[in-house]
Each structure stands twice: as C-alpha cells, then as structure tokens.
C-alpha cells in the first residue's frame, strides 16, 4: 500500500482499521485501513470481486466484519446500528422499487423514517425530478431511477453517503449529469464515498481514492498523485492496471481469443 | 450563545433548508444533549481540533417519528397494494363470488351454509398468500434492504402490511355477508358475538402465520408457492371445502383457520363455545408473532 497523500482535511469522519471479512473459506477483505475526511469524495476503485461492496456494507452496518474496527463519526456500525442510519445514507447497486409507487410517495415514505429528514421537495428539485414527482417509478428512465436512488440515499439528511456503482448501465450524457449531481452533493457538505470500477468516473469525481484488489488496498492518494507516482502512467486507468491484477486477467482473456 | 450556535447549525443543514452553501461544510459533530453541547463547544474553542474521529452520539429516532413513519408507510404501501389489481381482486372478490356462486348453483346449499366457508376464504387469502408474496417481492427487489439502511425496525413494516391484510380481510368478509344477505336473505347467526370472536381471533392467528412465512421467503415466487400451500392446507383442514370427520377434524380444529371455523360454526348454529379451539387460536397468535419478528430477514 502506498502512503502517497498528506490529506488536506484534518478530521476523519470515517476510520477503518485492519478490516477483514471472509465468506466461508474465501478471504474477501484482508486488512483494510483507510481514513475518509469531511467534505471529500472518496473513491473506492477496484475490479469485480475486489471487496468494494463488502467494504461499504461493513461501513453501513449491513454486514459484520470478522475483525478490525470501523468508526463513522464516532459510531461503531456493529453496536450502533440504530443510530448509524441517521448519519449515513447508502445508494444500492441494484436500484429497484415497486413499479406503481410515485417518486414523491417513495421519498416521503423514506423521509418519514427520520427525525430530521431532508426537504423532499428540495431533493426532487436538486436532482431534476420536478416533472416526474408524480410519475410511477416503473415509467422512469434508467437515469431518472438512479436519481431517485441518490435521493433515497440523501433523504435522511446524512453526513456521509455511500454511492455504489452509481452510473453502471447509464448512457454517457446521463452519466455526466449524474457526476455533476454527485459534485453538488459533495458541495452541500456531505462526505461522499464513491464505489466504482469505472476509472474515468473515479478520476473525474474523487478527491482521494483507494485502489482495492483481492481484498487489499494497493494504493491510496488523489488521482493526480497516483498518476504522478506511477511510472509511465498518464491516467488513472494506467495506474489501475499497474497496481492490480486486472490486466493479467484481461491479457489471459485476450490471448485465449 | 453556545446553545444557540449549536441549534442554528442543526437547523441550517443544506438538505433540510434547501440552501446550498458555496463550499464544503465542516462535519456536524455536535452531541445532542445540552450539557454535552456546551462542553463540546467550550472544548472546541479552547483547544483546536485534533485529527481524530469525532464522536456523534445519536439515539436512533423519537417515538413521534416512529408513529409518523408507521402511518406513512401503511398509507403508501396500502396505495401500492390497491394499484395491483390481481391482489385486490383476489382478496376482495373471491369470498363474495364463493358465497354467490355456491349458494345459487349447488342444490340444497343455502347462504347460511356458505357463511363460514366464505369467511374462512376471506381470512386465508390475504393473510397466507398475498402477504408472503408481497414480502418476497420486497426482498427480491432489495426494497427491504433499503429499509434496513433507515432507522426503521422490521416490526414497523410488518405491522403496516399486517394492517393492510387486516383491512382487506374485513372488507372481503363484510362483502360476503352483505352479498349473501342482499341476494339470498342471510340467516342471522345464533350468537353474533361468538361469530365475531371466531372471525377476529382466526384473523389474528392467520395473520401471524402469514407474517411468519413473509419474514423469511426470499422471492415473490417462493412466497406465492409457500403461501398457496399454506392456503390450501388451511382451507382443507378448516373443512371449508369438504366437511371433515374423525382424526382430520380433530387436527383441523386446532389449526389457526380450522379453530376459527370451529368457533364461527358454533356461533352460527348456537353450539357451545369450543374452548379448546379458542385456546389454540390464542396459542398460535402468541407463539407465531414474536417468532416472525425474531427471524425476519431484510435480505
């Protein structure tokens, strides 16, 4: 793991120490350490099966780690499960809701679960869903469904939000619009943890990132720092292939063809 | 002043007020109690912050939020349920159709013969078929997982669907009675109180059975399959399709729906109250409900 960054922020809102997790005999996380600072977009980049989703599920208290320690604004996801959702929102990879529920209904319903929810009408406006507020979820486009998904992650007025594979499957225009939304979320004071396997997305959005491969952090830093510190790298994709086993797999596939 | 500052920070959250500040905000790491607020602010002023994870005590949510959430979820899920015509038609029209068709088409069958079977169908359809199928779908689509990431407890969501099923049973049962009376002049039960007791106790026990299945089924198809199995076993053992005798009748009269049918039949015909069936209903309800909440799976 490279210690490349001297963080400009001083207060970590999330700390992870020596996090391990196995499913049966398969070790998915093998000692993850990282700090995430207030008001940044923190990327978790890695190939499929690297342990990205497991990491954030442990952060959100949806899975229990085998060992290691996590704190989210001082809360332990294992023991503070009731309090954690009031400060941490999560957007799930597989967005789906009943087809007949409307945008306004679903946001109002989820907002009702919180003591101090976000302003639903403001969220709808912020995410450009004004014209779809009474539209059934089943009638929305892929990009609009992702916006609803982001809105659901923000509706509890969280301090930290996890966005998991946010733009997978979206067209280029919608992806770019969604990226701007993520920046707006960050600019509104929310710390964003962005989980992705899309290099250009992380390079564009993340203030800092970790590259995760086979359950181990291979590199940490800002995109520019990582590119500068990797021989011959001109973008994050070069860094990614230099520091992970993904290229080996791809070459094998290419040779086989 | 310290408290005012803390309060103003809490009230000016950008997503609450709809106001986007120009830059990043520092983390709102202020504790909630007044004493803790004062101490923290004083400490923060006297000592510059050090790089450590700030403590942010939260206690989940208040009782008023829990009640508001429960009502909102019940109302919203109820609307969604009504928009699915299959569920609504199956739950609401089946007992009415049964009462009307069987009474008019089968020789020797009168409306009062069909009252208990119709009410048994009215109870069984929403409770053990639709409730598990609904939760299977919610689980399959990861909607329950979304709820898991909120401060809501599983009991609130189960309770909301409990009320939806309860309401649909009452409407379906009432519909069967009204239809039977309007079409054929339904005979008044010998003991209306016993009928109502059997219907309500049976409804509670069957809701608990349906909730137990709903608590664990992974997919909609599984929920439908297991629910339909439970439905037919319950209906057969209740004697709602064919009258039972001997051992099968004894077993049936201790199942949730069979015990309810036993009590309702007693009320209809003026038989003595079947106490063991009432006890069976109470036991089913008291045992199944906490197990359902205990084994509930979000995903």
């Amino acid at each position: 793991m490279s210690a490349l960054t001297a963080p400009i922020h001083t207060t970590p809102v999330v700390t992870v120490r020596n996090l391990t997790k196995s499913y049966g005999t398969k070790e998915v996380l093998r000692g993850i350490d990282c700090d995430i600072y207030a008001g940044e977009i923190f990327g978790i980049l890695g190939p499929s099966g690297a342990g990205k989703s497991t990491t954030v599920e442990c952060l959100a208290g949806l899975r229990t780690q085998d060992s290691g320690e996590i704190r989210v604004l001082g809360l332990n996801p294992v023991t503070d499960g009731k309090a954690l959702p009031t400060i941490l929102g999560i957007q799930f990879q597989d967005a789906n809701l009943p087809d007949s529920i409307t945008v306004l209904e679903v946001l109002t319903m989820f907002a009702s679960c919180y003591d101090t929810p976000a302003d639903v009408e403001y969220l709808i406006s912020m995410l450009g869903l004004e014209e779809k507020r009474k539209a059934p979820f089943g009638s929305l486009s892929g990009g609009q469904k992702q916006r609803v998904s982001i809105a659901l992650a923000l509706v509890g007025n969280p301090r930290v939000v996890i966005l998991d594979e946010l733009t997978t499957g979206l067209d280029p225009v919608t992806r770019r619009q969604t990226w701007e939304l993520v920046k707006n979320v960050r600019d509104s004071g929310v710390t964003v943890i962005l989980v992705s396997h899309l290099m250009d997305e992380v390079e564009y959005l993340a203030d800092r990132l970790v590259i995760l491969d086979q359950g181990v952090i291979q590199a940490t830093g800002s995109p520019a720092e990582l590119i500068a510190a990797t021989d011959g790298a001109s973008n994050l994709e070069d860094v990614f292939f230099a520091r992970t086993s993904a290229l080996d797999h791809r070459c094998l596939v290419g040779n086989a063809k | 002043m310290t408290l005012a500052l803390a309060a103003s920070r809490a009230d000016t959250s950008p997503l609450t007020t709809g106001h986007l500040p120009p830059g990043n905000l520092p983390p709102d790491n202020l504790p909630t109690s007044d004493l803790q607020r004062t101490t923290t602010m004083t400490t923060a002023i006297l000592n510059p912050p050090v790089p450590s994870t700030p403590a942010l005590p939260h206690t989940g949510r208040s009782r008023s939020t829990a009640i508001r959430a429960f009502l909102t979820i019940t109302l919203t899920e109820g609307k969604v349920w009504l928009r699915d015509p299959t569920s609504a038609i199956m739950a609401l029209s089946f007992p009415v159709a049964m009462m009307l068709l069987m009474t008019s088409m089968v020789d020797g069958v009168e409306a009062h013969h069909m009252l208990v079977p119709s009410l048994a169908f009215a109870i069984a359809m929403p409770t053990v078929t639709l409730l598990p199928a609904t939760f299977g779908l919610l689980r399959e689509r990861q909607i329950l997982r979304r709820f898991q990431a909120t401060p809501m407890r599983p009991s609130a969501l189960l309770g909301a669907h409990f009320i939806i099923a309860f309401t649909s049973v009452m409407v379906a049962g009432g519909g069967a009675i009204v239809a039977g009376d309007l079409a054929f002049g339904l005979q008044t039960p010998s003991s209306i109180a016993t009928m109502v007791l059997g219907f309500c106790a049976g409804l509670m026990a069957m809701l608990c059975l349906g909730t137990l299945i709903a608590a664990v089924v992974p997919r909609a198809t599984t929920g439908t399959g297991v629910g339909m199995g439970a439905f037919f076993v319950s209906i057969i053992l209740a004697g709602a399709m064919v009258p039972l005798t001997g051992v099968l009748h004894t077993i049936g009269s201790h199942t949730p729906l069979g015990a309810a049918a036993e009590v309702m039949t007693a009320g209809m015909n003026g038989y003595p109250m079947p106490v063991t069936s009432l006890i069976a209903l109470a036991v089913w309800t008291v045992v199944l409900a906490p197990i359902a909440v205990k084994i509930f799976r979000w995903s």
Side-chain angles (χ1 to χ4, degrees), chain B residues 11-79:
Chain B
D11 290 340
T12 54
S13 175
L15 296 177
T16 307
T17 59
H19 169 68
L20 274 177
N24 296 346
L25 292 175
D28 189 357
N29 59 348
L30 298 177
T32 50
S33 81
D34 292 350
L35 181 61
Q36 284 174 316
R37 274 192 192 128
T38 308
T39 307
T40 302
M41 289 304 292
T42 308
T43 306
I45 292 164
L46 295 177
N47 305 302
V50 294
S52 63
T53 304
L56 184 66
H58 277 259
T59 53
R61 58 181 186 160
S62 67
R63 181 174 288 273
S64 64
T65 302
I67 293 168
R68 190 186 68 221
F70 180 70
L71 294 175
T72 308
I73 291 165
T74 305
L75 202 64
T76 309
E77 290 287 313
K79 282 189 212 167

Side-chain angles (χ1 to χ4, degrees), chain A residues 26-43:
Chain A
K26 187 180 182 197
E27 284 184 296
V28 179
L29 302 178
R30 298 186 289 153
I32 303 293
D33 288 284
C34 65
D35 290 323
I36 300 171
Y37 294 90
E40 70 175 347
I41 297 178
F42 185 83

Side-chain angles (χ1 to χ4, degrees), chain B residues 210-259:
Chain B
T211 307
L212 184 76
I213 301 169
V216 291
V217 286
R219 287 180 292 280
T221 49
T222 318
T224 305
V226 175
M228 288 305 284
F231 172 80
F232 281 114
V233 170
S234 297
I235 286 291
I236 290 167
L237 288 177
M241 294 175 92
V242 183
L244 301 177
T245 55
V247 178
L248 273 181
H249 177 258
T250 307
I251 294 171
S253 64
H254 291 86
T255 61
L257 195 61

Side-chain angles (χ1 to χ4, degrees), chain A residues 15 97 100 105 115 119 157, chain B residues 15-16 53 65 83 141 145:
Chain A
T15 57
L97 290 165
S100 64
E105 282 172 348
D115 277 335
D119 183 328
N157 207 7
Chain B
L15 296 177
T16 307
T53 304
T65 302
R83 286 175 195 151
R141 289 190 168 196
R145 203 160 162 75

Side-chain angles (χ1 to χ4, degrees), chain A residues 10-13 15 38-39 57 62-63 71 73-75 82-83 85-88 90 92 94-102 105 108-119 122-123 126 149 152 154 157-159 184 186-190, chain B residues 10 13-29 49-62 64-66 68-70 72-73 76-77 79-80 83-84 138 141-143 145-153:
Chain A
T10 55
T11 313
V13 292
T15 57
E57 284 172 356
L62 302 176
R63 290 190 192 279
R71 289 290 181 275
L73 285 164
L75 298 179
K82 287 178 188 170
T86 63
I87 58 164
L88 184 139
I90 183 165
F92 289 101
D94 301 317
N96 226 331
L97 290 165
D99 287 342
S100 64
I101 198 165
T102 69
E105 282 172 348
T108 304
M109 180 168 74
F110 276 84
S112 72
C113 298
Y114 298 89
D115 277 335
T116 53
D119 183 328
Y122 172 67
L123 271 183
M126 175 187 167
S149 195
L152 287 175
L154 295 172
N157 207 7
R159 308 301 306 171
N184 281 348
R186 188 266 314 273
D187 292 344
S188 72
V190 178
Chain B
S13 175
L15 296 177
T16 307
T17 59
H19 169 68
L20 274 177
N24 296 346
L25 292 175
D28 189 357
N29 59 348
V50 294
S52 63
T53 304
L56 184 66
H58 277 259
T59 53
R61 58 181 186 160
S62 67
S64 64
T65 302
R68 190 186 68 221
F70 180 70
T72 308
I73 291 165
T76 309
E77 290 287 313
K79 282 189 212 167
V80 171
R83 286 175 195 151
D84 176 5
L138 292 175
R141 289 190 168 196
Q142 300 215 16
I143 297 165
R145 203 160 162 75
R146 282 184 187 281
F147 277 114
Q148 186 188 11
T150 73
M152 201 182 65
R153 293 181 179 85

